[in-house]
Amino acid sequence: MEARLTQLNYNEILMYLGYRGQECPAELEEQIHRCMDEVTKASDPRLVYRRLPVQDGQVTGLPLEGEDMRSLLVSCHEAVLLAATLGPRVEQLLMRREITDMADAVIMDACASTAIENVCDHFEFDLREQLEQEGLYLTDRFSPGYGDLPLDTQGRLCEALNTTRRIGLTVTPNYIMIPRKSVTAILGIADRPQKLRKRGCEVCSMFLHCPYRKDGGSCHE
C-alpha cells in the first residue's frame, strides 16, 4: 500500500495556527498558501505497516500498556502497526525557516502537521476499503501519547516495523521521532463492524501540545 498525500486542508491548518472562526487577513492567507505549496513540494511521504495477531486484547510480541488499547482491541483478532513520515526534506525545510523566518516556520509546521495526518487518513481509508472486501472491519487508529498509551511505545513500534531501514524514521531516547513530522499508530482488525470513537481531545494529534487544552478548552466546542 503506497503513501498518498493530497491537497492540504486549509481549515485544518488554521486550526493548528489557533484560528477559531476569526477572519484571516488576506496577507496571511497568501502566506499560508505559499507555505502549503512549499511543504507539499518538499514532502516525500513514506509509510510501513505490519499485521500481527491479537490475543486477549494484546498484540502478539508487542505488549501494550493501558486500558485504551485493551478497549480498542477487545473484539479484534489482528492489529495493524503503522509508521508514516513526510521524509527528511520537510525536516530540513522547517529547520531552515526556524533560523531565517519564524513566521514562515510556524505556518509550515502547521502545514506539515496537516500533511502527515493527510497521509495517515488516506492509509486508513485505503486499508478500510481493502479489509471490507475481505469481510473484515477496522477500528480507528490510536497513537502513542494519546489516552493512557505511553509515548515510549513509539520506540517499540518503530523497532517492530524496522523504520530506520525501511523509511528512514528513528526515535530519540526522549521519544522524539526524526523526521519530526512522522506518526506511529495501531489499528485493530475485527470480524464485525467496530464503533469508531468520537473524535476529540484524547484522540487528537495535537493532544500533547494543544493551545486550547492549556486554556481549559478545546477546538471542537
Side-chain angles (χ1 to χ4, degrees), residues 31-217:
Q31 185 179 14
I32 292 173
H33 281 289
R34 175 175 53 77
C35 290
M36 288 170 63
D37 289 340
E38 291 190 50
V39 168
T40 300
K41 288 175 183 175
S43 295
D44 178 22
R46 307 169 189 174
L47 65 80
V48 60
Y49 69 99
R50 183 180 177 190
R51 287 170 67 165
L52 290 174
V54 169
Q55 186 171 12
D56 299 325
Q58 281 289 340
V59 180
T60 302
L62 187 72
L64 299 168
E65 299 176 39
E67 290 301 318
D68 286 328
M69 286 310 305
R70 277 187 280 274
S71 175
L72 184 78
L73 299 175
V74 66
S75 301
C76 298
H77 61 275
E78 280 186 282
V80 175
L81 311 185
L82 167 68
T85 182
L86 294 182
R89 288 185 297 171
V90 169
E91 179 78 5
Q92 293 160 8
L93 176 63
L94 293 174
M95 291 176 69
R96 286 197 304 270
R97 292 306 166 90
E98 286 166 3
I99 296 171
T100 62
D101 190 328
M102 268 313 294
D104 266 12
V106 169
I107 294 171
M108 286 182 175
D109 186 86
C111 293
S113 294
T114 299
I116 190 60
E117 287 299 309
N118 179 297
V119 172
C120 292
D121 287 344
H122 282 308
F123 169 81
E124 185 176 331
F125 178 85
D126 293 343
L127 181 60
R128 195 177 300 278
E129 278 201 332
Q130 176 182 304
L131 290 173
E132 287 179 0
Q133 292 175 8
E134 302 175 30
L136 300 174
Y137 299 90
L138 194 64
T139 68
D140 47 13
R141 64 180 186 266
F142 205 95
S143 289
Y146 297 2
D148 62 1
L149 182 63
L151 191 60
D152 63 13
T153 308
Q154 306 217 103
R156 289 187 287 128
L157 282 175
C158 287
E159 184 177 352
L161 291 167
N162 197 7
T163 59
T164 300
R165 182 181 66 83
R166 298 181 71 183
I167 60 173
L169 170 60
T170 60
V171 181
T172 72
N174 294 325
Y175 319 124
I176 296 170
M177 289 186 287
I178 305 295
R180 287 171 291 172
K181 294 307 176 180
S182 304
V183 166
T184 59
I186 301 165
L187 308 92
I189 299 175
D191 293 321
R192 60 180 185 271
Q194 297 296 293
K195 182 179 180 181
L196 302 184
R197 295 163 299 150
K198 179 180 178 182
R199 292 290 181 181
C201 292
E202 71 279 4
V203 291
C204 176
S205 61
M206 286 289 287
F207 181 78
L208 296 176
H209 309 290
C210 178
Y212 303 134
R213 288 184 65 249
K214 291 177 182 177
D215 295 333

